[in-house]
Amino acid sequence: MRVQHRHIIYVQGYDPRGLAQYYRMFRTELRKFGKLYGISATTSRPDSAADGETASWTIETKGEDWQTRTHYDFLRTEDFIQNDLAWPIWRTVFHAVIIYWRLVFGGTIARFWRAHWRFATFITYPHFLLFNEALFSAAIAFVFGWGLEALGIPPFLGIAASVALFVAVLGTTLKYTENLTYLLYLLSDTIWTWEFSHRQRPEWDRRIDRFAQHLVNVATSSDAEEIVIVGHSSGSFLGVEMLARALKLDPDLGRHGPRVVLLTIGGNFPIVGFHAVSRDFRDHLRQLAIEPSIDWIDCQSRKDVMNFHPFDPIAGHGIEVGAARRNPTIVPVRFREIIKPEHYNRFRWKFFRVHFQFVMANERPHAYDFFMIVCGPVPLKERMADQAAALAIATGDAGARERGWNRLQTAPIGSLDGSETDRMEPNVARRG
């Protein structure tokens, strides 16, 4: 029951910062985690694989009556993302605008609205901002052209100069306000998810296949008690893809060696699954929904506009598996309960900061604690099935900890029943 060795495979989202900044954040948050619970937590330096596609480090965590060693694999894709962000501004803008209107006319944006209006608003935000910046630039160009006309400049020269000024002002505005608006980043994200959904990013597919092989290798060679695949943000659907492909390579993946658990946090499955062409992805969701050898936990937060809440990744895609369904277990997370009020009020409207709280340290002990999931002694499935017992093990005295362990050992562990998942989200038909 007690985890002494755990293997984490972390699948990042569409984040260009990559290994260096993620590891710095991880190390900082690990220190906060240790201080919160009064435990010792140390980490090694990252060790990159020869191919540069994975990096790994080890965390040693010691509590009063437990000790856990965690091997942490960070799957790297920042090179692809950085290449996307290096596109010329105009290429990004034109491509993203065309894709957005294809989403509108194809009905996908409407399906986003029905499934989660906050996310639909968020995905529309950069296009609304782009429109306003274009209006601002057009106004300046119009006034400039009017001035040239008043000076007697020939109309064709005035129009050409106004167009050139419009392009210059808009491009400059986009470039120098990016650190405030994240507009170009969000447009690049839209392009990527569209092209990935339509299988127009073969380099991503090849790397996910290699990640799947890595998972198979770990499962057949590791002495860990559990392997947890963590997919944050867009890493949620990438984690689904990787795990499904690993099961194709080794159908007995979860039947030999360590227990295999998929943890998706801050997920946004519909940005791939709601496309009619994403049949393979929906088939992978169906496969994981009924796979008896794999456990899948999906954590969602209402406060995070960048994930879908409330949303059932299976029923929400119109997937019907009946009584055979066992995954995922859907766990709502309230950030207000894990962050001190004065800090929560400070960042609650900073959407990216809220989104990353899923992988940052708590300020209050709570059953959902990313670092306790990564470094603690309680297996993930049991932690989410009896959150009170897991919390008692983390914060209670010797008697409370013993009672917590006894509860976990004797309680039946199961997935959400059908009535509970049905309340999460009605089926969303996807066509177009």
Side-chain angles (χ1 to χ4, degrees), residues 405-426:
W405 283 117
N406 289 336
R407 280 183 57 175
L408 292 183
Q409 290 169 348
T410 58
I413 306 299
S415 302
L416 292 176
D417 61 32
S419 62
E420 190 168 356
T421 57
D422 287 346
R423 288 198 299 272
M424 291 299 295
E425 177 67 23

Side-chain angles (χ1 to χ4, degrees), residues 30-93:
L30 181 68
R31 287 196 292 265
K32 295 178 183 178
F33 159 74
K35 185 177 180 180
L36 175 64
Y37 293 98
I39 60 179
S40 169
T42 59
T43 181
S44 67
R45 298 290 300 172
D47 182 19
S48 293
D51 60 11
E53 294 183 356
T54 61
S56 304
W57 56 90
T58 301
I59 307 111
E60 298 284 350
T61 315
K62 183 174 176 58
E64 191 168 342
D65 53 8
W66 58 269
Q67 185 169 351
T68 302
R69 174 170 55 93
T70 302
H71 189 93
Y72 200 101
D73 290 342
F74 180 84
L75 305 187
R76 305 183 66 177
T77 54
E78 67 264 31
D79 54 331
F80 293 153
I81 303 166
Q82 290 165 3
N83 287 339
D84 291 349
L85 297 180
W87 282 12
I89 290 176
W90 299 111
R91 180 184 177 188
T92 299
V93 168

Side-chain angles (χ1 to χ4, degrees), residues 99-305:
I99 285 175
Y100 180 79
W101 286 107
R102 292 183 70 176
L103 292 172
V104 170
F105 291 117
T108 305
I109 291 293
R111 288 188 286 277
F112 287 163
W113 277 100
R114 290 196 296 271
H116 183 48
W117 68 267
R118 293 181 182 88
F119 185 87
T121 301
F122 178 77
I123 203 173
T124 301
Y125 150 78
H127 297 275
F128 175 77
L129 186 60
L130 175 63
F131 177 72
N132 281 277
E133 291 186 0
L135 283 181
F136 169 76
S137 302
I140 292 177
F142 176 80
V143 172
F144 178 72
W146 179 81
L148 291 180
E149 183 179 354
L151 292 173
I153 302 298
F156 74 93
L157 290 178
I159 293 173
S162 297
V163 170
L165 182 64
F166 168 78
V167 171
V169 171
L170 181 56
T172 301
T173 302
L174 290 170
K175 180 178 179 179
Y176 290 101
T177 61
E178 175 66 9
N179 288 338
L180 295 174
T181 65
Y182 300 102
L183 190 151
L184 294 173
Y185 163 78
L186 293 171
L187 295 181
S188 294
D189 193 354
T190 298
I191 296 169
W192 169 68
T193 52
W194 168 274
E195 293 185 343
F196 180 82
S197 302
H198 288 72
R199 289 293 183 259
Q200 296 173 11
R201 291 293 182 102
E203 72 279 11
W204 278 84
D205 279 309
R206 288 191 293 268
R207 186 162 297 184
I208 293 171
D209 286 340
R210 292 192 290 274
F211 289 159
Q213 183 62 62
H214 173 73
L215 171 57
V216 170
N217 295 342
V218 169
T220 54
S221 63
S222 176
D223 62 353
E225 284 87 13
E226 71 174 0
I227 298 171
V228 181
I229 304 155
V230 180
H232 175 240
S233 189
S234 299
S236 59
F237 59 76
L238 295 176
V240 166
E241 283 292 293
M242 182 184 74
L243 179 54
R245 298 181 195 193
L247 284 167
K248 185 176 181 180
L249 294 172
D250 180 5
D252 294 325
L253 179 72
R255 295 181 173 86
H256 55 69
R259 174 192 288 183
V260 178
V261 187
L262 172 64
L263 172 65
T264 51
I265 47 182
N268 45 24
F269 305 99
I271 62 175
V272 171
F274 277 9
H275 295 286
V277 298
S278 298
R279 298 180 185 88
D280 287 347
F281 178 70
R282 292 191 293 275
D283 286 343
H284 292 159
L285 290 175
R286 182 188 303 274
Q287 176 187 7
L288 296 184
I290 62 176
E291 174 55 52
S293 66
I294 300 294
D295 295 313
W296 175 9
I297 311 293
D298 182 52
C299 294
Q300 309 172 1
S301 175
R302 179 180 182 276
K303 188 60 184 175
D304 179 14
V305 301

